[in-house]
Amino acid sequence: MQQGGSPSPKKKEGASSSLSNKLNINEEYTNAFRTKSYIEMWSKAHTILKDQSSTIDPSSSSSSSPPFSGHLSEIFLDPRQETLKDLTKNFNFHHLLLLYFEASLEACNLCELLLQSINQTRYYNKRINNLTKRVIINHSKDHVDHAEYAIIFQELARFSRAKNPLSTANSSLFQHCHESNLVLLQRLTSKHKRIKRNSKLRSICKKIMSYSLIASHSALVITLIVIALHSLIGLAAAPLGLVICFVYLSSCEKKMKKTNKASLGLHVDMAAKGVFILMNDLDTISALVRRLHDEIEHRKTIGRMCVRYGRSEVLKEVVNEFYMSQTTFIEQLDELEKYVYLCFHNINRSRRLLVSEIVN
């Protein structure tokens, strides 16, 4: 009997297996971040975002949000929707596969919206940094500049009233995507199971048919041999009959192998795996967005409180909290951006593999 408190071998084995799975997943994500396609996508997007934000002056409070004009999903989506429409004219796409491509397009649009929100969040963060520096500079002066403090309070009030840039990518969007993708995953999984069952049933039927063919042709061969023993014509017909039997059975075997490939089953399975990966990516992104959204709301709350009191001592405390949380905030924002690009990368990889399998 085991001592209380010492884990059983099964529990140890389960914990070890769980840890191994987590390490494998982390390793897979790390490798994905290093791929050439991911790096190229990241560089191209940052170039576009940098060009669009180059005209923004972080010290200015005249504009409420940075301009963003562009359709990154159209640039990054591979293959593009136009290409898919052309392919559907020449290849027979199952309706569930078309639903998968639509779901991946919807996820790309959500990722694009998130990149816009991240871009705006960086802009607002620069304004906070600028505000923090102005408070520090004013505080270090021999004489407090009350006029400067009044401007700072006005800027803080504008920030506190501004819309949270991450509120556009709210939880309802992620919830809608999760629910629709879950339904699609269930349909794909159910379809794949039906295909497998039917494939097994066809395999059994074909084996029975092949055995029946062998038995019937064996009877034919025996008949031909019997005829051959009684006539010279039979002697010529028997080898010919054997050749016909061999050719016929060979053609049947080739057809059976071709049918057993179950290409539709493979396509449905690939689409189901793509949806599963997409759901995991979006769940991770949703959690990161929620964490950053709450942090921005917290900053806005203490900013409103500071403006309400209108005292320099309170302002110093608020600015100090902004400064202390700055490094963590930027790290979390970078992590969110990284996973958005990873979601783009995984979507494209799944789409390319599936289209390649259908076409080839």
Side-chain angles (χ1 to χ4, degrees):
M1 188 172 179
Q2 291 183 349
Q3 297 290 333
S6 61
S8 65
K10 287 185 179 180
K11 288 184 178 180
K12 288 183 178 179
E13 184 179 347
S16 176
S17 176
S18 176
L19 179 61
S20 176
N21 290 335
K22 288 181 181 178
L23 292 174
N24 291 335
I25 292 172
N26 290 335
E27 184 179 355
E28 184 176 346
Y29 275 110
T30 302
N31 292 335
F33 290 135
R34 295 171 181 168
T35 57
K36 183 179 178 181
S37 58
Y38 174 86
I39 295 172
E40 288 178 350
M41 180 185 299
W42 186 91
S43 301
K44 185 184 292 185
H46 268 249
T47 300
I48 295 172
L49 295 174
K50 185 178 180 180
D51 290 343
Q52 293 173 347
S53 302
S54 59
T55 57
I56 299 172
D57 181 9
S59 63
S60 173
S61 60
S62 58
S63 59
S64 59
S65 63
F68 188 100
S69 60
H71 300 283
L72 293 178
S73 59
E74 293 180 4
I75 298 171
F76 293 139
L77 195 63
D78 185 27
R80 296 188 179 184
Q81 289 301 104
E82 295 79 6
T83 305
L84 280 177
K85 288 179 182 178
D86 293 337
L87 288 174
T88 53
K89 296 176 183 177
N90 301 318
F91 296 91
N92 185 22
F93 280 67
H94 193 274
H95 71 278
L96 286 179
L97 301 183
L98 294 176
L99 289 177
Y100 161 71
F101 286 118
E102 289 177 7
S104 62
L105 173 62
E106 184 179 352
C108 277
N109 291 334
L110 178 57
C111 287
E112 179 183 348
L113 178 63
L114 278 170
L115 288 178
Q116 294 180 33
S117 299
I118 291 170
N119 192 42
Q120 293 174 0
T121 302
R122 292 192 187 281
Y123 167 76
Y124 284 119
N125 193 61
K126 286 180 182 179
R127 290 176 62 184
I128 288 294
N129 283 341
N130 182 66
L131 184 70
T132 302
K133 291 175 183 177
R134 289 170 69 179
V135 172
I136 293 174
I137 292 171
N138 196 35
H139 182 64
S140 63
K141 293 179 181 178
D142 295 335
H143 301 284
V144 176
D145 189 343
H146 294 286
E148 177 69 9
Y149 265 131
I151 296 173
I152 291 172
F153 275 114
Q154 290 176 4
E155 176 66 17
L156 186 59
R158 276 191 288 268
F159 165 77
S160 301
R161 290 194 303 266
K163 183 180 179 181
N164 190 324
L166 290 175
S167 62
T168 52
N170 52 47
S171 58
S172 62
L173 288 176
F174 285 101
Q175 185 66 23
H176 169 73
C177 274
H178 181 87
E179 291 174 356
S180 59
N181 286 333
L182 181 59
V183 172
L184 178 57
L185 179 61
Q186 290 171 346
R187 293 182 65 183
L188 287 167
T189 304
S190 176
K191 180 66 176 177
H192 184 244
K193 288 180 179 179
R194 286 201 303 271
I195 291 173
K196 286 182 69 176
R197 285 197 301 267
N198 293 337
S199 178
K200 288 181 180 179
L201 183 60
R202 283 196 302 269
S203 178
I204 294 171
C205 292
K206 286 175 181 177
K207 284 182 180 179
I208 294 173
M209 288 176 63
S210 64
Y211 293 149
S212 300
L213 285 171
I214 292 171
S216 61
H217 285 86
S218 297
L220 176 60
V221 170
I222 293 171
T223 303
L224 291 171
I225 291 173
V226 171
I227 294 172
L229 294 174
H230 294 85
S231 70
L232 292 175
I233 297 175
L235 287 172
L240 179 61
L242 290 172
V243 171
I244 292 173
C245 290
F246 177 79
V247 171
Y248 183 77
L249 288 174
S250 297
S251 64
C252 287
E253 184 179 0
K254 288 181 180 178
K255 288 180 181 178
M256 288 168 61
K257 287 183 178 179
K258 187 175 182 180
T259 305
N260 285 336
K261 288 181 180 178
S263 57
L264 178 58
L266 176 61
H267 300 160
V268 170
D269 185 47
M270 292 176 69
K273 290 176 181 176
V275 173
F276 180 78
I277 294 171
L278 178 59
M279 290 178 66
N280 283 341
D281 287 344
L282 291 180
D283 286 346
T284 301
I285 291 172
S286 176
L288 295 174
V289 169
R290 192 160 53 247
R291 183 174 63 180
L292 276 167
H293 178 274
D294 292 346
E295 175 59 27
I296 294 174
E297 286 300 313
H298 172 68
R299 287 183 170 191
K300 291 175 63 178
T301 299
I302 62 176
R304 283 193 296 269
M305 179 190 70
C306 179
V307 172
R308 190 184 309 120
Y309 284 106
R311 292 162 52 186
S312 59
E313 295 82 5
V314 178
L315 178 62
K316 292 171 190 174
E317 291 294 328
V318 169
V319 166
N320 183 60
E321 183 169 341
F322 287 166
Y323 178 78
M324 295 297 292
S325 63
Q326 180 64 15
T327 301
T328 302
F329 184 83
I330 290 297
E331 288 176 353
Q332 292 177 355
L333 193 60
D334 289 341
E335 185 181 11
L336 171 60
E337 184 181 55
K338 184 170 65 173
Y339 273 95
V340 171
Y341 286 123
L342 178 64
C343 188
F344 263 126
H345 172 76
N346 287 337
I347 288 171
N348 285 341
R349 182 178 62 176
S350 297
R351 286 169 65 96
R352 282 195 299 264
L353 287 173
L354 181 53
V355 169
S356 177
E357 187 65 35
I358 293 173
V359 172
N360 295 329

